[in-house]
Amino acid sequence: MKTWTLLSSIACGCILFGAVYAAVEAEATSGSATGTIEFEVEDKQQVYDPENPGTVVDPGDSPKTEGPLRIDFVPQFRFGTNKAVNEDTVYSAYAQLFKDDTSARGNFVQVSDYRAEESGWELSIKQEAQFENENGRTLDGAIISLDHSWTSSMSDSATAPTVKKDVITMSVGESQILATAATGTGGGTWAINFGASAANSAGQQDTLTPLLDANGNPVPDSTFGDKPIYLNSAIGLNIPGRAEKQPGTTYKTVITWTLSELP
């Protein structure tokens, strides 16, 4: 069984296609000559809007893998700058922004399977270590959770991969399965989404709210041309009140995304 693995850092903080061809050979009815025809599968390096899969978007740089079965895009979970409090608190991740005119979306992973056999795949996630700051201090007991999972694609919905409908609670060092495509499903390009905007046409719950400053004004994100930041309640970071929180430092961890062929 082959696997492809990506690492991404998060702080308390594309759809790629490589040319794939399906060949059909027709044998002549007389003589020794043969005729052939090849059908090219469109395989461009593009990223699509998870709420409008036919629309190309620019979500910025992302780690990715290559080949006919690959991870095209993974989110960077950012939880921003927050006040240190002594109560158990759940912080929402920043929603996905784009470097074009696309509005904020829920966070998503994008997977492509352009293998001829469509023999199935599995996508999993793992948090490698606890959140740690530059002084070596950890956020003891902090837990990331993922909710409101759903899929989107230009492919037939009858061939959609299966996603977990329960809340996914991550444990440090343990892999959690996010999506599974059985044989004959998951072909083409699929977004595995966590949350959605109010503009989605798939009947998904709106999980986005604007991040406002103390004066009630939208907080801009300089990484995305000062677009307003939205919080996505589908991605949460639960930090116990008892956890030590050092002001003025950034806590980080590493997330591993693994895409595996089914045996």
Side-chain angles (χ1 to χ4, degrees):
M1 178 176 68
K2 295 182 180 179
T3 62
W4 293 260
T5 301
L6 289 177
L7 301 178
S8 61
S9 299
I10 65 174
C12 179
C14 125
I15 292 178
L16 300 179
F17 307 90
V20 177
Y21 302 92
V24 177
E25 184 171 304
E27 188 171 335
T29 57
S30 63
S32 59
T34 61
T36 63
I37 182 171
E38 292 185 345
F39 299 100
E40 180 178 351
V41 177
E42 186 175 353
D43 197 359
K44 298 179 180 179
Q45 297 185 354
Q46 294 173 324
V47 180
Y48 293 92
D49 183 346
E51 295 185 9
N52 298 286
T55 302
V56 178
V57 294
D58 180 6
D61 294 334
S62 166
K64 56 185 177 289
T65 62
E66 298 179 350
L69 176 64
R70 57 188 178 268
I71 299 174
D72 300 320
F73 178 82
V74 296
Q76 305 295 314
F77 297 153
R78 297 188 296 157
F79 296 94
T81 301
N82 302 276
K83 292 182 179 179
V85 296
N86 295 323
E87 298 85 29
D88 293 357
T89 305
V90 178
Y91 300 93
S92 294
Y94 288 2
Q96 181 66 54
L97 295 180
F98 300 86
K99 296 188 173 183
D100 50 34
D101 295 333
T102 309
S103 301
R105 301 291 190 241
N107 304 95
F108 67 98
V109 187
Q110 212 147 9
V111 173
S112 286
D113 183 3
Y114 284 89
R115 298 171 298 168
E117 63 274 16
E118 291 187 1
S119 56
W121 50 265
E122 182 179 87
L123 177 67
S124 63
I125 187 174
K126 181 172 69 173
Q127 182 180 345
E128 295 294 340
Q130 187 52 276
F131 282 89
E132 183 176 329
N133 68 8
E134 54 266 39
N135 300 321
R137 309 305 288 266
T138 59
L139 282 177
D140 294 339
I143 297 174
I144 299 172
S145 62
L146 301 90
D147 197 6
H148 298 286
S149 304
W150 61 289
T151 61
S152 57
S153 177
M154 288 290 288
S155 298
D156 187 344
S157 60
T159 65
T162 301
V163 295
K164 290 287 187 68
K165 290 302 182 182
D166 297 330
V167 178
I168 298 171
T169 301
M170 298 178 63
S171 297
V172 173
E174 295 184 10
S175 293
Q176 299 279 351
I177 297 172
L178 299 179
T180 303
T183 300
T185 69
T189 297
W190 290 88
I192 312 302
N193 306 297
F194 303 97
S197 74
N200 85 87
S201 59
Q204 298 296 319
Q205 178 181 332
D206 177 15
T207 61
L208 307 190
T209 55
L211 177 62
L212 305 178
D213 63 20
N215 296 317
N217 299 313
V219 177
D221 190 332
S222 59
T223 303
F224 293 92
D226 289 333
K227 283 188 171 184
I229 296 171
Y230 281 76
L231 300 177
N232 180 14
S233 61
I235 308 289
L237 175 62
N238 190 326
I239 301 179
R242 59 176 171 76
E244 179 189 19
K245 309 166 189 74
Q246 290 189 336
T249 63
T250 300
Y251 290 82
K252 297 181 179 180
T253 189
V254 172
I255 298 294
T256 299
W257 307 83
T258 301
L259 180 63
S260 305
E261 290 183 342
L262 292 185

